[in-house]
């Protein structure tokens, strides 16, 4: 069996583990046939070195000087390697599978935004392959050290696209996450959960109904800061960061209507940051 055949088999396995749609799979096979093997190896080493190091952020695009396709393929292959490492540490196969399925979701988001196959958010997935971010129920949790604090940790909560943030669903995710981290990282002192989201913009929250799932989720967190960032709200409601498309977009939900109203009238949006003591009670 040749090295090319082995790598092709590895790509096929990684695509299956990542829940990548059939129509996007040929893109990665094309990359496998074309990328420079020495560059691919270096990229995989860079990603593999992050496993178990609990990086505070995704790998920086500015630190990666090879062709984007190299990193996309390396990310695919290292996610599969991470799958094996996590199972070897007795993590739940269900949680590992749900975590890696974000690869397929990112491919679908790329196609929706650009109209073709690709993985423009490969750098985000470097957290998944590092073994520090996990999908547990409705939410994702990134375990990381608190900056400038000795042996103190936090979980950075992320909200993947999917079902509504119903209180019972969120409660279930938080409860499972607390048990997960107690079981698999008992030596770490996790002090708090944090979340930075366009959903926490005070302007938006003021316009939510009292029964809103978004408002209920936001109230779990004590607000700490807000910074301007208009494109997140646009991306997570319409699948684009192109502000030039604002006047060509049509709202299909009350939330989309609010986003368009604010961005068209003021041209801005804020990312809110909040936190609460971990574990959630």
């Amino acid at each position: 069996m040749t090295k090319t055949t082995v790598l092709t088999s590895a790509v096929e396995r990684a695509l299956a583990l990542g829940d990548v749609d059939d129509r996007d799979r040929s893109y990665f096979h094309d990359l496998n046939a074309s990328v420079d093997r020495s560059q691919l190896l270096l990229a995989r080493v860079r990603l593999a070195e992050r496993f178990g190091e609990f990086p505070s952020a995704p790998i920086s695009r500015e630190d990666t000087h090879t062709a984007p396709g190299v990193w996309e393929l390396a990310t695919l292959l290292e996610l599969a390697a991470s799958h094996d490492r996590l199972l070897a540490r007795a993590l739940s196969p269900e949680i590992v599978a749900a975590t890696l399925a974000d690869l397929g979701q990112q491919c679908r988001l790329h196609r929706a935004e650009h109209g073709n196959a690709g993985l423009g958010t490969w750098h985000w997935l470097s957290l998944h392959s590092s073994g520090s971010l996990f999908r547990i129920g409705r939410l994702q949790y990134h375990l990381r050290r608190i900056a400038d604090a000795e042996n103190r940790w936090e979980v950075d909560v992320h909200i993947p696209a999917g079902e509504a943030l119903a209180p019972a669903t969120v409660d279930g995710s938080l409860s499972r996450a607390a048990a997960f981290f107690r079981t698999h990282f008992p030596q770490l002192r996790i002090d708090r959960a944090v979340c930075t989201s366009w959903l926490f913009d005070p302007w938006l929250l003021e316009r939510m109904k009292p029964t809103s799932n978004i408002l209920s989720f936001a109230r779990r967190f004590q607000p700490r800061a807000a910074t301007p960032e208009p494109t997140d709200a646009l991306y997570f409601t319409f699948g684009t960061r192109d502000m030039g498309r604002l006047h060509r977009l049509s709202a299909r939900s009350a939330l989309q209507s609010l986003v368009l109203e604010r961005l068209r009238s003021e041209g801005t949006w804020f990312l809110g940051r909040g936190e609460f003591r971990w574990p959630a009670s």
Side-chain angles (χ1 to χ4, degrees):
M1 184 177 292
T2 67
K3 290 183 178 180
T4 300
T5 302
V6 170
L7 192 54
T8 299
S9 298
V11 170
E12 275 293 340
R13 177 173 180 265
L15 290 169
L17 290 172
D19 192 32
V20 177
D21 293 344
D22 289 344
R23 63 177 179 172
D24 290 325
R25 295 190 175 199
S26 61
Y27 173 78
F28 292 97
H29 284 297
D30 290 344
L31 288 179
N32 182 38
S34 62
V35 301
D36 181 272
R37 286 294 187 260
S38 61
Q39 291 184 350
L40 178 63
L41 177 60
L42 289 174
R44 292 193 64 181
V45 169
R46 285 279 304 280
L47 290 170
E49 288 174 344
R50 291 165 57 90
F51 187 86
E53 293 299 312
F54 303 101
S56 62
I59 196 166
S60 171
R61 291 177 183 270
E62 287 71 28
D63 291 338
T64 56
H65 303 295
T66 53
V70 170
W71 285 95
E72 291 175 287
L73 184 58
T75 297
L76 172 74
L77 294 169
E78 283 307 307
L79 282 170
S82 177
H83 168 273
D84 298 340
R85 297 182 189 116
L86 293 172
L87 290 185
R89 297 186 180 191
L91 269 67
S92 159
E94 175 193 358
I95 289 176
V96 175
T99 299
L100 268 61
D102 200 16
L103 169 64
Q105 174 67 5
Q106 296 304 314
C107 290
R108 288 185 282 276
L109 290 173
H110 182 101
R111 180 176 286 278
E113 181 177 8
H114 301 286
N116 53 38
L119 188 60
T121 53
W122 63 264
H123 60 294
W124 157 247
L125 293 165
S126 67
L127 291 177
H128 305 52
S129 62
S130 75
S132 63
L133 184 144
F134 307 94
R135 173 77 183 260
I136 305 174
R138 178 64 184 87
L139 303 169
Q140 293 169 319
Y141 302 86
H142 173 208
L143 178 61
R144 64 188 186 187
R145 296 174 180 84
I146 296 177
D148 303 320
E150 184 176 353
N151 197 32
R152 293 176 58 202
W153 297 72
E154 65 186 10
V155 284
D156 189 11
V157 180
H158 296 272
I159 311 165
E163 62 187 293
L165 291 168
T169 302
V170 174
D171 286 342
S173 175
L174 290 170
S175 178
R176 290 180 60 196
F180 172 85
F181 288 113
R182 278 197 305 269
T183 299
H184 297 289
F185 302 95
Q187 76 281 14
L188 302 183
R189 173 187 167 186
I190 302 176
D191 286 359
R192 66 191 184 193
V194 299
C195 184
T196 301
S197 175
W198 66 276
L199 293 174
F200 292 175
D201 186 312
W203 184 94
L204 176 65
L205 296 178
E206 288 172 1
R207 287 157 178 79
M208 292 287 99
K209 295 179 180 179
T211 56
S212 161
N213 289 330
I214 292 174
L215 184 60
S216 173
F217 182 78
R219 284 176 171 168
R220 296 172 185 267
F221 297 83
Q222 292 294 320
R224 289 292 182 258
T227 55
E229 172 45 72
T231 65
D232 267 24
L234 191 62
Y235 179 73
F236 287 110
T237 51
F238 290 95
T240 180
R241 294 187 183 274
D242 183 1
M243 296 289 284
R245 295 180 58 190
L246 273 178
H247 293 283
R248 301 196 300 272
L249 297 173
S250 299
R252 297 182 179 179
S253 69
L255 182 58
Q256 287 183 333
S257 294
L258 287 170
V259 169
L260 288 181
E261 175 190 342
R262 176 85 176 286
L263 292 179
R264 285 171 176 172
S265 63
E266 302 179 29
T268 191
W269 200 275
F270 284 83
L271 294 180
R273 183 182 185 277
E275 65 181 57
F276 62 75
R277 178 173 290 278
W278 186 265
S281 57

